[in-house]
């Protein structure tokens, strides 16, 4: 089948994608994420899927699992794994509205990763409309918590991946438009400094500032960064009254390493920072971790197939390992052939300049359809 004959249309894709982007779905707002899952469920059912809604836990929204009719239903096939949560809080549309400017389409979460997810459904829909059954059964799993490390659905993703031969992850393409065939290891940490409160004016010397202690630790932590293992403090919360010496300050740290051994060493160095000094207790707790994913020969074979499909469409698809985690870390590290970042091209993800390149929509929909048609 010629991919161009599937009838992907930029205008139709944008019209379908707009309600998704305008349904803001920040990770920590479970109700908002569930509303986004409702929109995705409609599109999946309209594409012919049977749906399972999986309740959320740990305070997060729920998930959607969709299976499509197939003569080999129940046998190992293809899992399309995506997340529908974003980093943008409700209200971001006020400053980053859905907007088309030339070849760019703007909006919160449009690049990471609503457009890629929408295109995956559109690829399945277009194949069904022309009566083409994929060689393998297809399952789509949309989850609600990737942006915070997938604490509530990692087991769900891994169990679903075990049932399948391949995993496709429509995260946004790399900066050069390439796919991802491996990812670095990532760990997150929670920091807590507990000091002693006092009045900040007439009894300043009686207090022990948790904020001051945390500030010193932040400098120490970020100074741990090397080319092999990085440390970044991205969240700091402390104090309640300016006229009180702070008794509590909390922070969150992200560490990334190309090799698992380097991350393990970084974890040890972070945990060793827990101490009590000068009347302030400092605690470091490790939270979610993404394992390093090194490409297997089977993953590279998937990439080779994708590059052939891309060549037929008219572009060259590069590949490589990448920083920044995704749920592909889990499936790839399990040894299941995984091809990541085959979604749209764009720029500015996680910022108020987030946008996609419109001319990548049909290209990437065709790529997804081609992979579904060729994987056996």
């Amino acid at each position: 089948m010629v991919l161009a004959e599937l009838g992907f249309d930029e205008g139709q894709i944008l019209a379908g994608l707009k309600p998704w982007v305008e349904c803001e779905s920040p990770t920590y707002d479970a109700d908002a994420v569930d509303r986004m899952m409702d929109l995705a469920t409609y599109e999946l059912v309209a594409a012919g899927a049977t749906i399972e809604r999986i309740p959320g836990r740990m305070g997060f929204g729920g998930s959607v699992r969709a299976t499509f009719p197939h003569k080999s239903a129940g046998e190992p096939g293809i899992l399309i794994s995506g997340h529908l949560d974003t980093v943008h809080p409700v209200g971001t549309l006020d400053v980053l509205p859905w907007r088309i400017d030339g070849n760019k389409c703007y909006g919160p979460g449009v690049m990471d990763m609503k457009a890629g997810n929408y295109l995956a459904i559109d690829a399945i829909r277009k194949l069904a409309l022309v009566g083409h059954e994929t060689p393998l059964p297809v399952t789509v799993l949309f989850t609600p918590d990737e942006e915070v490390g997938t604490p509530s659905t990692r087991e769900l993703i891994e169990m679903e991946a075990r049932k399948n031969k391949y995993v496709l992850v429509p995260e946004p393409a790399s900066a050069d438009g390439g796919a991802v065939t491996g990812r670095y290891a990532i760990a997150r940490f929670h920091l807590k400094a507990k000091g002693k409160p006092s009045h900040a004016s007439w009894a300043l010397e009686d207090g022990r500032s948790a904020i001051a202690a945390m500030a010193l630790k932040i400098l120490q932590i970020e100074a741990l960064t090397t080319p092999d293992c990085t440390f970044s403090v991205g969240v700091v919360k402390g104090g309640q009254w300016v006229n009180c010496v702070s008794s509590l300050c909390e922070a969150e740290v992200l560490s990334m390493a190309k090799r698992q051994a380097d991350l393990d060493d970084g974890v040890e160095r972070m945990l060793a920072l827990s101490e009590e000094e000068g009347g302030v207790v400092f605690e470091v707790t490790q939270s979610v971790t993404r394992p390093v994913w090194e490409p297997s020969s089977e993953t590279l074979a998937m990439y080779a197939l994708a590059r052939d499909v891309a060549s037929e469409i008219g572009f060259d698809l590069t590949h490589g390992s990448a920083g920044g985690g995704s749920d592909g870390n889990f499936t790839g590290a399990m040894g299941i052939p995984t091809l990541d970042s085959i979604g749209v091209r764009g720029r500015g993800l996680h910022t108020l300049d987030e946008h996609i390149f419109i001319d990548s929509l049909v290209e990437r929909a065709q790529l997804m359809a081609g992979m579904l048609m060729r994987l056996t």
Side-chain angles (χ1 to χ4, degrees):
M1 176 180 291
V2 178
L3 292 171
E5 296 177 355
L6 289 175
F8 292 109
D9 179 82
E10 279 181 5
Q12 290 178 357
I13 292 170
L14 289 169
L17 180 59
K18 182 180 180 182
W20 282 38
V21 174
E22 292 187 334
C23 181
E24 296 175 288
S25 52
T27 311
Y28 290 118
D29 189 333
D31 291 339
V33 174
D34 284 339
R35 288 193 292 270
M36 184 61 241
M37 293 290 172
D38 290 343
L39 291 181
T41 295
Y42 178 88
E43 295 290 349
L44 288 161
V45 171
T50 298
I51 296 295
E52 296 173 80
R53 293 294 292 264
I54 303 163
R57 65 191 189 102
M58 299 169 61
F60 296 101
S63 300
V64 174
R65 176 167 49 205
T67 54
F68 292 84
H70 197 276
K71 63 178 180 294
S72 301
E75 297 181 9
I78 302 167
L79 172 64
I80 299 173
S81 177
H83 67 89
L84 288 174
D85 60 313
T86 79
V87 301
H88 300 284
V90 171
T92 301
L93 280 170
D94 294 338
V95 291
L96 180 60
W98 170 273
R99 175 170 63 92
I100 293 175
D101 183 4
N103 188 41
K104 298 177 181 179
C105 176
Y106 293 81
V110 67
M111 181 181 178
D112 188 14
M113 60 179 292
K114 291 185 178 182
N117 289 333
Y118 185 86
L119 291 182
I121 298 175
D122 203 34
I124 296 168
R125 176 169 41 224
K126 288 296 195 292
L127 290 171
L129 287 173
V130 298
H132 184 92
E133 184 174 70
T134 57
L136 296 174
V138 177
T139 299
V140 175
L141 180 64
F142 289 147
T143 50
D145 59 345
E146 190 273 348
E147 294 294 1
V148 294
T150 321
S152 76
T153 57
R154 175 176 178 174
E155 295 87 352
L156 178 65
I157 293 166
E158 291 180 337
M159 187 58 70
E160 199 62 41
R162 288 187 177 95
K163 303 175 187 175
N164 288 278
K165 292 180 66 175
Y166 305 101
V167 177
L168 297 173
V169 185
E171 287 274 7
S174 299
D176 67 350
V180 167
T181 50
R183 286 192 181 271
Y184 304 158
I186 291 178
R188 296 179 183 228
F189 302 89
H190 182 78
L191 313 180
K192 183 182 289 186
K194 295 185 286 186
K196 178 184 177 183
S198 69
H199 195 285
S201 178
W202 59 265
L204 178 62
E205 67 279 0
D206 293 339
R208 299 293 181 270
S209 171
I211 291 176
M214 181 65 76
L216 293 173
K217 285 294 185 182
I218 289 173
L219 295 175
Q220 183 179 351
I221 288 167
E222 297 207 336
L224 293 174
T225 293
T226 69
D228 298 318
C229 189
T230 62
F231 298 85
S232 175
V233 180
V235 176
V236 180
K237 302 174 183 178
Q240 187 174 10
W241 305 97
V242 73
N243 58 348
C244 294
V245 172
S246 59
S247 59
L248 180 65
C249 187
E250 297 179 273
E252 294 179 35
V253 179
L254 184 75
S255 179
M256 182 179 68
K258 296 180 181 180
R259 301 183 306 164
Q260 191 66 47
D262 293 326
L263 188 73
D264 293 342
D265 177 67
V267 169
E268 287 187 18
R269 287 187 286 163
M270 280 294 301
L271 296 178
L273 294 175
S274 293
E275 63 178 5
E276 181 175 356
E277 183 179 6
V280 178
V281 176
F282 189 77
E283 299 174 351
V284 180
T285 305
Q286 184 179 356
S287 57
V288 293
T289 302
R290 293 191 188 276
V292 68
W293 162 31
E294 296 181 355
S296 65
S297 58
E298 292 84 1
T299 286
L300 294 178
M302 282 183 76
Y303 160 70
L305 178 62
R307 189 177 185 187
D308 287 345
V309 173
S311 179
E312 292 179 23
I313 297 169
F315 70 98
D316 182 39
L317 183 70
T318 61
H319 79 106
S321 292
S326 87
D327 292 329
N329 278 80
F330 303 135
T331 62
M334 293 168 65
I336 299 169
T338 299
L339 190 63
D340 201 342
S341 291
I342 55 172
V344 294
R345 293 181 284 108
R347 292 288 187 275
L349 75 167
H350 292 197
T351 76
L352 295 179
D353 188 48
E354 183 166 342
H355 61 273
I356 59 172
F357 298 133
I358 294 172
D359 63 4
S360 72
L361 291 172
V362 170
E363 165 193 299
R364 297 298 161 139
Q366 290 177 340
L367 177 61
M368 176 63 75
M371 293 301 290
L372 295 178
M373 291 164 58
R374 307 286 178 84
L375 287 171
T376 60

